[in-house]
Amino acid sequence: MENTYLVNPAVAGTNNSNPISLHYKHWWSGFNEAPTMQCITGHTSISSSVGVGGKVFNYATGPISKLGIEGSYAYHFSVSSTTKIALGLSGQLYQFYLNKNLLRVEEQDDQAILHSSEKLISPDAAFGAYFYNNNFFTGISVYQLFNRKVQLLNTNYLENRQVRHYFLTAGYRYDINETFSVEPSVLAKFIESGIFQLDASLKGIYKQLIWLGFSYRTSESLVCTVGMKRDKFSFGYAYDMPLSDIRNYSVGSHELLFTLYFGQPKTKLLRE
């Protein structure tokens, strides 16, 4: 909810300042070698119609990790005096790494593993569109556009492909009075392999300083978020309480977000 640039390159340049965000997430505490994510993002506007951004990210799940960089370009069109549409494109370059020492196979001469590679460098791309004003936003994006094969394992026995991921986001901030605001939002996720998931969230904001939010992720978890924003920085924490059968083995997931804001706020239309 706090950094939509993570899932849409068209968000580059839409903030009222220049944010640099550090993310850390640890899924399913209690599992050995559970998934983790570390990510640094930043974006800014370089003119009234152009935004640029970048990411450095690392995902790890057991023996497999994905380390990469991403650069984004977004062009913003004025629809009215209060509303804009942005189109964005990202280029990515990442390395897959397979730590075969962590694999436990029933047959030591398993051909899918025996002749596999440990590292692979792969390019990719993402596209997004974003419609926004100071109180409302909605966007759609697609990642892993190239739909590339990841030929770490012996492809004579097993094929691994980076299928496309689709994201739809929307949110609205309603100012109840000068002290309190509320912001409902949704994030819909679809993967071409047939997986769909929806996050529905509601966040309450006090004096634009502290917030408390709750989310429901379909068939997965309840999420509680807390955070604060002051001057040039903000900090947030999210706890995912699992609802699926995995709750019998995990105490939940944890995510941290720290953002620094650089530069003077712009006077043109940009989201906070």
Side-chain angles (χ1 to χ4, degrees):
M1 293 188 297
E2 305 304 322
N3 185 6
T4 48
Y5 175 64
L6 270 177
V7 294
N8 193 332
V11 174
T14 60
N15 279 70
N16 196 36
S17 55
N18 308 316
I20 295 181
S21 299
L22 288 78
H23 293 258
Y24 173 79
K25 184 160 186 176
H26 185 280
W27 283 266
W28 306 330
S29 295
F31 278 80
N32 292 330
E33 302 167 13
T36 60
M37 175 198 74
Q38 304 86 36
C39 186
I40 301 174
T41 72
H43 63 93
T44 185
S45 58
I46 59 176
S47 73
S48 60
S49 58
V50 175
V52 294
K55 297 179 196 171
V56 179
F57 57 88
N58 181 61
Y59 301 98
T61 304
I64 296 177
S65 63
K66 181 180 177 181
L67 172 67
I69 57 175
E70 176 179 333
S72 304
Y73 174 90
Y75 193 84
H76 303 253
F77 304 86
S78 293
V79 178
S80 68
S81 59
T82 61
T83 307
K84 285 189 173 185
I85 292 178
L87 301 178
L89 186 66
S90 281
Q92 301 172 334
L93 187 67
Y94 45 78
Q95 175 187 268
F96 277 94
Y97 176 69
L98 174 65
N99 187 346
K100 292 193 285 187
N101 293 327
L102 296 179
L103 296 177
R104 294 181 291 274
V105 296
E106 294 183 1
E107 300 178 9
Q108 295 302 313
D109 59 349
D110 189 321
Q111 296 299 303
I113 304 300
L114 188 63
H115 300 292
S116 63
S117 302
E118 291 190 350
K119 295 180 181 180
L120 173 70
I121 303 294
S122 178
D124 218 318
F127 172 79
Y130 196 67
F131 178 77
Y132 67 100
N133 60 28
N134 282 334
N135 293 97
F136 170 80
F137 69 90
T138 185
I140 187 169
S141 60
V142 54
Y143 277 76
Q144 300 180 172
L145 279 173
F146 291 173
N147 200 28
R148 283 177 55 87
K149 292 181 180 179
V150 179
Q151 297 175 340
L152 280 174
L153 298 177
N154 191 322
T155 55
N156 293 325
Y157 299 91
L158 185 64
E159 179 180 286
N160 185 22
R161 184 180 292 274
Q162 291 288 96
V163 298
R164 296 184 183 96
H165 288 52
Y166 299 86
F167 299 94
L168 173 66
T169 56
Y172 179 79
R173 187 180 67 200
Y174 176 71
D175 297 324
I176 300 173
N177 52 43
E178 293 183 355
T179 303
F180 293 99
S181 302
V182 293
E183 186 174 315
S185 62
V186 294
L187 168 61
K189 297 164 280 186
F190 175 72
I191 303 175
E192 284 189 350
S193 57
I195 299 173
F196 175 81
Q197 195 172 67
L198 177 69
D199 292 17
S201 305
L202 180 65
K203 180 174 70 172
I205 309 166
Y206 175 71
K207 290 187 176 181
Q208 304 301 316
L209 178 64
I210 58 175
W211 74 80
L212 175 66
F214 297 93
S215 301
Y216 171 70
R217 183 171 300 128
T218 54
S219 304
E220 177 63 30
S221 60
L222 291 174
V223 184
C224 176
T225 64
V226 294
M228 65 171 294
K229 180 179 180 181
R230 183 168 185 139
D231 299 328
K232 296 294 185 179
F233 77 93
S234 66
F235 173 80
Y237 166 76
Y239 171 73
D240 295 27
M241 181 179 70
L243 300 177
S244 63
D245 290 343
I246 207 170
R247 68 182 183 274
N248 298 320
Y249 310 96
S250 170
V251 296
S253 304
H254 307 272
E255 184 172 3
L256 296 172
L257 168 66
F258 182 74
T259 301
L260 293 172
Y261 302 91
F262 293 92
Q264 296 298 320
K266 289 107 174 166
T267 55
K268 63 180 181 138
L269 167 71
L270 288 173
R271 287 185 52 77
E272 294 292 336

